[in-house]
Amino acid sequence: MITAEITKDVFYVGTNDRTTTRFEGIWPLPYGVSYNSYVVKGESKTAIIDGVELSHAFEQIAKIKHIDDAMKVDYLVINHMEPDHTGGIVALLHAFPNLKIVGNAKTADMLKGYYGIDKEDIITIADGDTIDLGGMTLKFFLTPMLHWPETMMTYVEEKKVLFSGDAFGCFGALNGGVVDNEFDVSYHFPEMTRYYSNIVGKYGAPVQKALSRLGSLPIEYICSTHGPVWHEKVAEVISIYDRLSREECENGVVIVYGSMYGNTAQMVETLARQLTLEGVRKICIHDVSYSDESYILRDVYTYKGLIVASPTYNGNLFPKIDSFLKSLVLRGVSKKVFARLGSYTWAGVSSKTIDTMVEKLKFETIGQQIEMKQGISSCTIEQCRNLAKEFAEALNRE
Ligand code: FEO
């Protein structure tokens, strides 16, 4: 059983989920996920910060009791109401009958709707309010839309510990280590970008707002609701979130394509080869029929260039390209160096449809866009060569 004392009187009591295959029923979990929960013990009062998913409730309770079987727990602070962090609330209330739930006005509305808990039974805090645990002061920061309306963070002033909710979290269970200086966290970084792009990506502006509020706080530990506790890498993860929420990407290109019989794929392979000859060194190619959208989004949030290729299918786009583009529109992805490749057999629709969809985004479309009829020809190869040259130049512009 993993429990850990992160710093004196601040404990980890979260759980690992290695059996759920898709987070939110959508996003793959090849390395599992952790539901992080914490205990802060003051001289007079004790608080649990964040809960766990329903099927993990008894494990969390056992861990809390493992710290001190006789411990009286006074508060449950809910930084985020999504059920991966609140499913176990009812069990917690049974285990610790004196527990008072702490949340904001929006938390209260959701507690009633999800769990039938009345507003009168919770302590409703406002931005900047504090609760004194005796030598430990919990200070609350409302951070709405990061990524739900009730999201907030809790800061322990005396220990410089920030409980950040989903922010700074990532996919991937904790394999023995809890704090980042206890184990190799290298695989958690791409999983942080994937988590951000899949779950939080739509809310770049609220993330920036939250970061500017946190900027003045001294932070020794970031305790998010998923993934490692950040200690040695606090500055690094704040910088990652800052870059992701400003859509500041690395030099490189993601090519996303659909292809029924390999003709559109051939055009993509030709363009990728030409991009390489033009000096582009990071090229990720995703066949939408093979790659899960979760990973495509991760790469879109990593690299500056985006090229989308689709055949015309049933008088529209290749269905999974349609779904992918809708995901970009939903997230308001912008700042991309962009090009599209369309193809058709007798009536070209995919090119126009991609152009219409990306009009809503602030992409910089580069060069002469390509539309191929049926199979690849010397003309298409020449068009790929020209496009690659202009695209590589655009990627290298500051
Ligand atoms: Fe980890 Fe937004 O729930």
Side-chain angles (χ1 to χ4, degrees):
M1 178 190 295
I2 298 180
T3 56
E5 189 165 19
I6 295 164
T7 183
K8 188 164 174 8
D9 293 330
V10 178
F11 300 88
Y12 179 85
V13 291
T15 64
N16 282 316
D17 182 346
R18 302 182 198 276
T19 55
T20 298
T21 53
R22 287 192 181 257
F23 191 74
E24 296 183 342
I26 307 171
W27 314 108
L29 292 172
Y31 311 113
V33 67
S34 67
Y35 308 117
N36 295 347
S37 172
Y38 306 91
V39 167
V40 179
K41 236 177 134 179
E43 286 156 11
S44 53
K45 304 273 187 189
T46 296
I48 300 167
I49 316 280
D50 298 313
V52 298
E53 193 267 345
L54 173 63
S55 60
H56 292 245
F58 292 108
E59 186 181 342
Q60 178 204 22
I61 291 163
K63 287 181 173 187
I64 296 167
K65 289 183 183 286
H66 183 73
I67 296 168
D68 175 357
D69 196 29
M71 185 166 66
K72 193 173 140 297
V73 185
D74 303 280
Y75 304 112
L76 167 64
V77 176
I78 300 179
N79 285 317
H80 181 26
M81 270 299 298
E82 199 163 359
D84 52 332
H85 309 295
T86 58
I89 280 184
V90 174
L92 264 184
L93 290 170
H94 274 101
F96 303 102
N98 297 321
L99 201 62
K100 289 296 270 182
I101 294 176
V102 178
N104 58 66
K106 289 190 172 123
T107 321
D109 170 66
M110 294 179 190
L111 277 168
K112 179 72 181 168
Y114 275 115
Y115 306 110
I117 295 170
D118 289 323
K119 194 175 163 193
E120 294 68 40
D121 293 329
I122 79 165
I123 298 170
T124 306
I125 56 84
D127 189 54
D129 282 358
T130 57
I131 290 180
D132 181 14
L133 303 180
M136 296 270 213
T137 312
L138 306 179
K139 184 168 185 176
F140 306 104
F141 293 89
L142 302 195
T143 53
M145 297 319 300
L146 205 166
H147 61 123
W148 276 27
E150 87 303 353
T151 45
M152 64 183 209
M153 296 188 188
T154 302
Y155 182 66
V156 181
E157 295 180 317
E158 292 80 356
K159 298 286 180 184
K160 303 181 178 64
V161 177
L162 179 71
F163 297 95
S164 62
D166 281 346
F168 312 110
C170 52
F171 295 130
L174 299 175
N175 298 335
V178 173
V179 184
D180 64 7
N181 59 5
E182 293 182 318
F183 65 122
D184 177 5
V185 293
S186 52
Y187 88 85
H188 286 281
F189 285 107
E191 286 296 89
M192 177 180 280
T193 302
R194 189 163 72 91
Y195 184 88
Y196 181 91
S197 63
N198 293 184
I199 312 292
V200 188
K202 183 177 164 63
Y203 304 100
V207 171
Q208 278 293 307
K209 204 169 166 186
L211 288 175
S212 69
R213 291 204 65 201
L214 300 175
S216 58
L217 289 181
I219 298 173
E220 288 281 329
Y221 295 89
I222 294 178
C223 299
S224 88
T225 44
H226 300 288
V229 168
W230 302 111
H231 177 47
E232 282 187 347
K233 298 186 188 306
V234 163
E236 193 174 335
V237 298
I238 290 176
S239 159
I240 290 171
Y241 251 66
D242 183 39
R243 279 190 279 110
L244 287 169
S245 55
R246 284 188 289 109
E247 293 189 53
E248 190 185 297
C249 295
E250 293 173 31
N251 194 332
V253 58
V254 186
I255 307 179
V256 186
Y257 76 94
S259 189
M260 286 172 275
Y261 298 105
N263 292 293
T264 307
Q266 243 187 323
M267 188 163 45
V268 163
E269 300 289 355
T270 303
L271 181 61
R273 179 62 189 155
Q274 293 301 324
L275 284 165
T276 302
L277 294 177
E278 293 296 338
V280 179
R281 289 294 171 259
K282 287 188 176 168
I283 303 175
C284 301
I285 301 181
H286 287 288
D287 177 340
V288 278
S289 299
Y290 178 78
S291 295
D292 193 286
E293 193 175 290
S294 176
Y295 295 90
I296 304 176
L297 287 171
R298 176 197 65 193
D299 291 343
V300 166
Y301 275 77
T302 302
Y303 297 110
K304 192 163 132 184
L306 174 65
I307 296 171
V308 177
S310 175
T312 299
Y313 187 90
N314 276 344
N316 209 311
L317 289 174
F318 193 73
K320 286 192 169 185
I321 290 287
D322 182 60
S323 164
F324 165 66
L325 288 173
K326 282 178 178 156
S327 284
L328 298 187
V329 172
L330 182 75
R331 285 166 177 73
V333 171
S334 62
K335 297 187 185 173
K336 288 286 159 217
V337 170
F338 178 77
R340 67 105 176 105
L341 314 177
S343 66
Y344 67 101
T345 299
W346 71 95
V349 177
S350 63
S351 298
K352 286 188 214 101
T353 310
I354 294 173
D355 294 348
T356 304
M357 287 178 88
V358 301
E359 259 172 33
K360 299 174 189 137
L361 307 168
K362 293 174 191 157
F363 292 170
E364 180 194 358
T365 301
I366 303 300
Q368 181 71 44
Q369 307 300 281
I370 300 175
E371 186 169 48
M372 179 178 78
K373 183 176 181 183
Q374 297 153 4
I376 197 158
S377 65
S378 55
C379 168
T380 311
I381 293 168
E382 183 60 21
Q383 287 177 317
C384 287
R385 191 174 292 130
N386 294 336
L387 179 58
K389 189 170 187 317
E390 289 190 62
F391 205 89
E393 280 167 11
L395 281 181
N396 287 326
R397 278 201 306 268
E398 279 309 309

